[in-house]
Amino acid sequence: MSNFGAAILNNFRRAAGLLDRVLPCRCVLCQTSGREALCSACLAGLPWLPRQACPRCALPTADGQLCGSCLRAPPAFDACHALLGYQSPVSELVMAGKYGGRWQLWPLFGQLMAQHRPALAAGSVLIPLPLHASRLRERGFNQALELALPLARASNLSLRHDLLVRTRDTGHQSRLSRKARHRNLRKAFAAAPAVAGLDVIVVDDVMTSGASLDAAARALKAAGAASVTAWVLARTLPHGRKQERCSPHTNHSIHLQPF
């Protein structure tokens, strides 16, 4: 997709999102009529992460202290905040938002992140984790930016697109091991000198191994950032571990809209 085509698609998507906010729509999960992409019952039934979590990587812990992994090998970012466990139906919702035409999910998720935001350092700047230019042309939008926009409005923080770039296309990470992901992302980001001395909040949709956020934080700190905090919508939990949730509806199938 050309830059012009991506811009047209992005404008169309934003217009569709505005209409979805005004016109009646159906819950993506249970198809209940309403004015939001998810009804209140399905929202309540999502796998919300507990407040007690590792302050460095957002992994739920019994006492809210650093987890063993961060004690052994702390990531480059200083803190991480996550709202949801990346499991069904969140994983299906994220995929629907990225690839299934369910664009109206991103403003809703961004508003949820804003409502549950932690205390912020005055003068912090928000940076959506950038996509490589080729991936942005292919997809037509950056979901991290869509999440960051409501956050910036609610927190009155500056949203900066010019402080971090992805210098090469690292491909899809999902099939790689944890070690391979970190290796694949070495020097994948570059930060601008203007980041020196700033407290930075990097926004993304999902934290899996943390490799992308770690690589971004390393680039930002190499350029002089005072601190780097990660804000993510969802976090993958260790293998076999699921976050408990209530299930107000039994049907979690998503009816995708083609592009």
Side-chain angles (χ1 to χ4, degrees):
M1 182 185 296
S2 66
N3 290 335
F4 178 75
I8 293 295
L9 177 60
N10 198 43
N11 288 335
F12 171 79
R13 177 184 51 76
R14 290 187 184 279
L18 289 173
L19 287 175
D20 284 330
R21 299 287 296 171
V22 175
L23 300 177
C25 61
R26 291 185 179 275
C27 173
V28 173
L29 290 178
C30 71
Q31 299 300 296
T32 298
S33 296
R35 292 193 177 276
E36 295 288 354
L38 292 173
C39 69
S40 58
C42 285
L43 274 176
L46 294 179
W48 295 86
L49 293 176
R51 291 183 179 272
Q52 288 188 318
C54 172
R56 197 71 180 254
C57 74
L59 179 71
T61 58
D63 56 4
Q65 299 300 309
L66 286 171
C67 68
S69 178
C70 287
L71 285 171
R72 290 190 300 272
F77 46 87
D78 301 286
C80 181
H81 304 282
L83 275 190
L84 304 166
Y86 190 63
Q87 62 194 64
S88 184
V90 174
S91 52
E92 289 90 344
L93 290 170
V94 169
M95 290 299 102
K98 282 184 178 178
Y99 308 113
R102 294 292 186 176
W103 300 312
Q104 70 270 36
L105 286 166
W106 298 116
L108 174 60
F109 284 146
Q111 290 161 20
L112 291 176
M113 291 174 71
Q115 291 169 10
H116 296 272
R117 64 187 184 275
L120 304 172
S124 298
V125 297
L126 289 171
I127 299 179
L129 191 72
L131 296 174
H132 188 264
S134 60
R135 184 67 60 86
L136 184 60
R137 286 194 297 269
E138 175 187 326
R139 188 175 298 168
F141 70 101
N142 180 1
Q143 69 279 358
L145 173 60
E146 301 305 312
L147 295 173
L149 285 168
L151 282 173
R153 286 193 295 267
S155 59
N156 291 319
L157 295 180
S158 296
L159 181 60
R160 300 290 298 267
H161 308 268
D162 58 325
L163 297 178
L164 185 68
V165 295
R166 192 181 291 248
T167 56
R168 59 185 179 84
D169 187 0
T170 53
H172 293 284
Q173 295 273 103
S174 58
R175 299 182 182 88
L176 300 178
S177 67
R178 181 184 181 89
K179 185 178 292 186
R181 291 182 185 197
H182 282 273
R183 186 168 54 247
N184 187 45
L185 283 158
R186 286 176 186 165
K187 298 183 179 180
F189 297 94
V195 79
L198 296 179
D199 293 304
V200 174
I201 299 169
V202 180
V203 180
D204 201 12
D205 58 339
V206 178
M207 174 178 165
T208 306
S209 67
S212 296
L213 291 167
D214 182 76
R218 289 182 186 279
L220 289 163
K221 287 193 170 182
S227 69
V228 178
T229 298
W231 271 8
V232 296
L233 171 67
R235 191 209 194 285
T236 298
L237 301 180
H239 181 67
R241 182 173 172 182
K242 298 291 183 182
Q243 181 60 35
E244 292 183 4
R245 61 180 177 86
C246 54
S247 301
H249 300 290
T250 56
N251 178 19
H252 288 303
S253 60
I254 297 176
H255 303 277
L256 300 181
Q257 297 175 349
F259 286 105

